[in-house]
Amino acid sequence: VSGGGVRSNYESVLSARLQDAAFFMEQDGKRRLADFGDNLGRILFHPRWGSVRERVERIVALAGFLSKEMCLAGDMAEHLLAAARLCKNDLATLMVAEFPALQGTIGRIYASREGLPAPVCRALEEHYWPRFSGDRLPGTPVGALLAVIDRMDLLCCFLAEGGEKVGSADPFGLRRAGTGIIEIVWSSRLAVPLRALARHAASLLGTHGTEDAVMAFLRQRTENLLAAGSIPAGVRRGVLAAAGEDFLAAREKATAFLEFLGQPGNAEILVPFSRVANILAQAAS
């Protein structure tokens, strides 16, 4: 087949796909985005944890809980709840059924077309970010919070079943979800009460105690990210011990400590401190 023939074939296929997309968007446009939520009950999320509709109900409950915990301003709280209610609705559209990679993007487009508030529209797309390592992160507070909530529900569901014990394949994307939570917290600098959120997510699932596994998992993700940032092992252990479960503080302490050590003579100051610490450790009485 000549080069011109190959090009013609590809153009024919592309033209047909674009015509399909135009038809699907026209059909979807006959309904409001909110109306697609009725069909989410037919989409299975997990045999134990129910349909996508049930998952959205948990996400909405977590959004309400987080709004109160963080004392979010009125508009932000309303936008977070609105985005939570609509965040998975585009999964039931013809467009996403045919073009799955457009999940989130189609939600944003349809919400914008209806004139919904910009923070809600952006959050519908941003809560899927990052999709993979190195991907962009949510650029709005509402998008960042919804992304954390979405991933927290996922972690609680699968860690309750020992999902972290699966080998390096990570078939459920748990490592990606955990890393995403830490990256979002670092990027947005939002003081998200992760343990409280994990505890509430576990209570919605009836798996009380899962929050301990979630926090241990997030701690490991944090240490791995610090290691990827060339933070020495001793510094990683030190800042995580000092910051506890405040993973944003852990990163900031690591950065500040390395900057301190980089100043002339500062490394020598640590010698008497370490000696005193060693003496005290052996002389508790």
Side-chain angles (χ1 to χ4, degrees):
V1 181
S2 66
V6 171
R7 175 176 176 175
S8 176
N9 289 338
Y10 272 112
E11 287 177 345
S12 297
V13 173
L14 180 59
S15 176
R17 294 290 280 169
L18 290 174
Q19 289 176 19
D20 288 344
F23 172 76
F24 293 145
M25 288 196 76
E26 180 183 359
Q27 295 301 307
D28 287 340
K30 296 177 181 179
R31 303 168 63 187
R32 296 183 309 124
L33 182 60
D35 295 337
F36 289 98
D38 296 336
N39 297 331
L40 295 181
R42 305 172 188 170
I43 304 175
L44 180 66
F45 167 64
H46 186 275
R48 180 178 177 184
W49 307 121
S51 66
V52 173
R53 182 172 184 175
E54 291 172 292
R55 183 166 189 243
V56 168
E57 290 172 354
R58 294 196 300 271
I59 290 174
V60 171
L62 290 173
F65 171 81
L66 198 58
S67 295
K68 294 178 180 178
E69 283 288 303
M70 297 182 67
C71 298
L72 298 181
D75 286 349
M76 186 182 295
E78 290 177 9
H79 291 158
L80 180 59
L81 281 171
R85 294 187 185 101
L86 297 173
C87 67
K88 304 300 180 185
N89 282 22
D90 67 350
L91 297 180
T93 64
L94 293 172
M95 274 295 287
V96 173
E98 185 67 21
F99 304 100
L102 292 179
Q103 62 181 2
T105 301
I106 290 301
R108 172 182 58 78
I109 291 172
Y110 288 1
S112 297
R113 192 165 60 183
E114 292 178 21
L116 297 182
V120 174
C121 300
R122 291 190 62 180
L124 296 183
E125 182 172 32
E126 288 182 354
H127 87 281
Y128 283 105
W129 302 349
R131 298 174 187 263
F132 50 85
S133 178
D135 190 21
R136 54 189 167 179
L137 298 169
T140 64
V142 176
L145 292 175
L146 187 57
V148 169
I149 290 170
D150 181 54
R151 287 159 176 77
M152 187 62 78
D153 176 74
L154 180 73
L155 288 180
C156 285
C157 285
F158 287 97
L159 291 181
E161 299 194 331
E164 80 282 4
K165 298 176 183 177
V166 178
S168 59
D170 192 25
F172 307 120
L174 302 188
R175 294 187 184 91
R176 184 170 65 251
T179 298
I181 287 177
I182 302 304
E183 289 180 327
I184 291 165
V185 168
W186 286 0
S187 173
S188 64
R189 300 184 59 79
L190 291 169
V192 182
L194 293 176
R195 174 170 282 277
L197 183 63
R199 184 185 300 114
H200 195 66
S203 70
L204 294 175
L205 294 166
T207 58
H208 301 279
T210 304
E211 63 268 20
D212 290 334
V214 171
M215 297 310 295
F217 189 77
L218 292 177
R219 180 187 176 92
Q220 185 59 56
R221 294 297 95 205
T222 302
E223 183 166 4
N224 288 354
L225 282 172
L226 291 173
S230 301
I231 305 296
V235 176
R236 298 198 301 270
R237 290 194 297 270
V239 297
L240 284 169
E245 294 175 346
D246 187 342
F247 302 124
L248 175 58
R251 185 197 191 195
E252 293 178 337
K253 287 177 183 292
T255 301
F257 187 64
L258 291 180
E259 289 176 355
F260 172 80
L261 290 181
Q263 300 296 320
N266 282 357
E268 293 153 6
I269 297 177
L270 299 180
V271 175
F273 276 94
S274 63
R275 289 179 179 173
V276 169
N278 289 336
I279 292 171
L280 290 175
Q282 301 173 44
S285 62

